[in-house]
Amino acid sequence: MSLQTRVLGSIALLLVLALLGGSAALVLNARAAAQTEVHTAFHGAAESVRDTMKGNVAHTVTLREVVASFEGQRHVRAALVNEDGRVIVQSQIAQLDNPAPGWFAWLIEPAPLSITIPINLPQFPCVLQLLTDPRSEMAQSWGHVVTAFLTMLAFCAGAMAVVSLAFRHALRHLKDLQAGMLDVSRGHYQTRLEARGAPEFAELADGFNHMAGRLEQFSDSNRRLEQQINQVQEEERAGIARDLHDEVGPYLFALQVDASALVKSTEPETRGRGQAIRDAVMHIQQQVKDILRQLRPASELEFGLEAAIADQILFWSRRYPAIRFERSVGSDLALDRRGEDTALRIVQEGLSNAVRHGNPGLIRVVIAGQPDGVRVSVEDDGGGLKQSAAGLSQMGLPGLEERVRALDGRFIVEDLPGKGVRLVALLPDRRVREVA
Ligand SMILES: Nc1ncnc2c1ncn2[C@@H]1O[C@H](COP(=O)(O)OP(=O)(O)OP(=O)(O)O)[C@@H](O)[C@H]1O
Ligand SMILES: [Mg+2]
């Protein structure tokens, strides 16, 4: 149940309870007031009739006048009854425009009172009866209660409307905050909230902005750090490659020359050994060349990304002839030199992981342009991600993620259990990145 529903529901419940309590109090008041009003009127009337009767009531005309004086009264009725119990004449209370409903009358009706006054007229023995009639009083109370109830109802409805408006207003700020949090969790650290509304919300927005600002700073400095690390790594690899090339290369060449000289010997055994040494040296030379390519793939980019990827595939296909390699590299990709370098590293690590950790029959490399950048994917059918074996450095995938993040791209490792692994990188359009 949402917070809004809970709070508004609780307030509505309280208001309904208050309404019920108020209505009960109104009914109790009305009941007490009706009783007082009707009984007071009755006692007053009885007193006055008794006073009249003390005088000389010599004929029925006077008695009829007494009864008629009660005509249209609100609380008391009078009747003249003869000795046979027949009503000779009786008064009626005033006409009721809006009588109280039965249930309300039942709730507040006062106890009935009556009095019988014997009249000593020798030729017309009779009695004068007075009795309470609360209908008029109850109709009046009903009117008051309805008015008071409607007033309370209007107040409750107004209070509910004001509270729900205030709540909706407050929730709007919370929704802004929620959207901002979501944005930040997606890495959009430039998101800021407008500090408006109640001071509490303005403070919340200030706090959020401060947090997003700090995250933006951290993210910038992280990115710079990653770039520096990548650069240092590049330089280190380049240094190792240079050393390998400069230190080992000449000696291998010298060995090859010496072995060639031995091959020309007249001694058959020396000739045979010379040939074996020359074959071994040529093999080492080929290995060193491959290692140099691995260490300095960027240099291969001088012939373009497609050529560099073809080289990588050749490197592995020579060693794993049973694996089928497929490649598709789109033309005119929106990548700058760093983007191409990153794409090549992804392919390099993807190929190496697939042959080392999976048991694939097919490895597919696809680099394709997209409206907002370039999608690089390396996919194998080697059975899915394996548990990492102890002793492996496991720096490959995290390193790729850092590289891609340094370019503001996205990197995903998709595990397709039973099928294989797919590395996907979305590298932003170089024009977007250059503007940023
Ligand atoms: N194509 C794949 N098929 C099966 N498992 C894989 C594949 N790629 C990665 N893995 C699993 O994920 C782990 C992490 O890969 P990662 O490239 O980060 O490290 P590594 O290859 O073990 O070491 P490094 O790349 O640092 O030499 C691997 O050890 C392996 O268990
Ligand atoms: Mg690896």
Side-chain angles (χ1 to χ4, degrees):
M1 200 192 289
S2 75
L3 179 66
Q4 183 176 14
T5 316
R6 265 191 235 177
V7 172
L8 292 184
S10 310
I11 295 174
L13 187 69
L14 276 178
L15 288 176
V16 167
L17 288 177
L19 205 58
L20 288 176
S23 306
L26 280 176
V27 169
L28 287 177
N29 276 344
R31 183 185 166 87
Q35 173 130 343
T36 311
E37 192 81 5
V38 170
H39 286 188
T40 310
F42 178 81
H43 293 306
E47 194 68 27
S48 123
V49 167
R50 274 200 202 96
D51 284 351
T52 310
M53 291 302 132
K54 275 184 198 149
N56 187 18
V57 180
H59 45 76
T60 54
V61 177
T62 314
L63 289 171
R64 281 176 188 276
E65 278 170 4
V66 171
V67 172
S69 71
F70 282 89
E71 190 64 32
Q73 273 228 357
R74 286 192 53 227
H75 303 124
V76 184
R77 276 191 290 128
L80 193 59
V81 182
N82 69 9
E83 58 183 346
D84 305 327
R86 200 166 61 83
V87 175
I88 310 301
V89 64
Q90 67 174 346
S91 70
Q92 294 297 334
I93 59 164
Q95 179 81 25
L96 297 178
D97 290 338
N98 191 13
W103 64 268
F104 182 75
W106 178 79
L107 282 175
I108 73 161
E109 187 167 16
L113 295 179
S114 65
I115 185 172
T116 304
I117 303 166
I119 311 291
N120 295 322
L121 279 178
Q123 70 280 30
F124 187 64
C126 61
V127 293
L128 189 67
Q129 280 183 344
L130 289 183
L131 58 149
T132 53
D133 189 331
R135 285 179 295 165
S136 170
E137 183 61 31
M138 292 192 303
Q140 190 183 29
S141 296
W142 172 244
H144 291 160
V145 166
V146 166
T147 308
F149 180 80
L150 288 179
T151 310
M152 286 194 305
L153 196 66
F155 171 80
C156 290
M160 262 322 272
V162 169
V163 170
S164 86
L165 270 181
F167 211 85
R168 201 174 298 170
H169 191 68
L171 279 189
R172 218 185 51 214
H173 294 302
L174 284 184
K175 281 207 174 112
D176 286 352
L177 187 67
Q178 189 185 15
M181 290 284 196
L182 204 67
D183 257 9
V184 166
S185 73
R186 287 178 180 147
H188 303 146
Y189 302 126
Q190 315 83 346
T191 308
R192 294 291 180 276
L193 295 182
E194 215 180 302
R196 61 197 161 110
E200 290 85 348
F201 289 117
E203 268 176 37
L204 217 55
D206 279 344
F208 173 89
N209 291 343
H210 183 69
M211 177 196 77
R214 298 283 293 164
L215 282 174
E216 195 177 6
Q217 281 173 4
F218 288 143
S219 157
D220 283 350
S221 69
N222 250 2
R223 192 174 310 150
R224 275 197 302 276
L225 218 62
E226 277 165 8
Q227 283 169 1
Q228 281 169 4
I229 290 171
N230 283 340
Q231 207 175 332
V232 169
Q233 267 183 359
E234 287 303 331
E235 283 166 9
E236 241 173 48
R237 280 171 188 257
I240 295 170
R242 225 175 15 247
D243 289 348
L244 199 61
H245 180 268
D246 296 350
E247 301 290 333
V248 181
Y251 288 104
L252 285 177
F253 182 67
L255 266 175
Q256 194 186 3
V257 171
D258 291 344
S260 299
L262 289 179
V263 168
K264 288 180 191 144
S265 161
T266 49
E267 285 280 317
E269 197 190 334
T270 314
R271 244 195 349 261
R273 293 201 170 193
Q275 185 62 45
I277 294 171
R278 201 168 64 173
D279 287 351
V281 167
M282 281 168 74
H283 180 74
I284 296 171
Q285 272 177 330
Q286 184 58 47
Q287 294 294 323
V288 168
K289 222 159 130 190
D290 285 346
I291 292 170
L292 285 177
R293 276 189 184 157
Q294 290 297 304
L295 285 172
R296 301 198 63 182
S299 64
E300 288 176 272
L301 283 171
E302 278 152 31
F303 301 101
L305 181 61
E306 186 162 10
I309 287 173
D311 258 12
Q312 288 290 323
I313 289 178
L314 189 67
F315 174 86
W316 288 110
S317 61
R318 273 212 301 263
R319 284 157 181 82
Y320 294 87
I323 300 178
R324 191 155 59 88
F325 289 85
E326 281 180 11
R327 101 187 118 90
S328 154
V329 181
S331 56
D332 194 23
L333 297 168
L335 290 175
D336 60 3
R337 183 62 183 230
R338 270 183 65 209
E340 286 190 340
D341 186 29
T342 304
L344 187 56
R345 294 285 186 195
I346 294 165
V347 173
Q348 187 182 21
E349 182 62 24
L351 291 174
S352 143
N353 274 358
V355 298
R356 279 169 63 206
H357 305 304
N359 183 21
L362 169 71
I363 303 179
R364 186 181 292 125
V365 176
V366 181
I367 304 188
Q370 287 197 326
D372 53 348
V374 172
R375 184 179 189 273
V376 179
S377 83
V378 182
E379 182 181 345
D380 66 68
D381 62 354
L385 271 185
K386 301 276 171 340
Q387 286 288 351
S388 302
L392 293 174
S393 66
Q394 291 179 43
M395 292 294 294
L397 297 180
L400 288 186
E401 187 168 10
E402 280 166 20
R403 278 175 184 280
V404 174
R405 220 178 31 218
L407 298 186
D408 271 348
R410 281 207 300 140
F411 179 68
I412 308 152
V413 179
E414 292 179 40
D415 183 15
L416 317 164
K419 290 186 189 156
V421 175
R422 189 191 291 139
L423 305 187
V424 181
L426 303 166
L427 305 178
D429 190 317
R430 65 171 171 224
R431 287 163 298 230
V432 175
R433 191 148 45 76
E434 271 157 16
V435 170

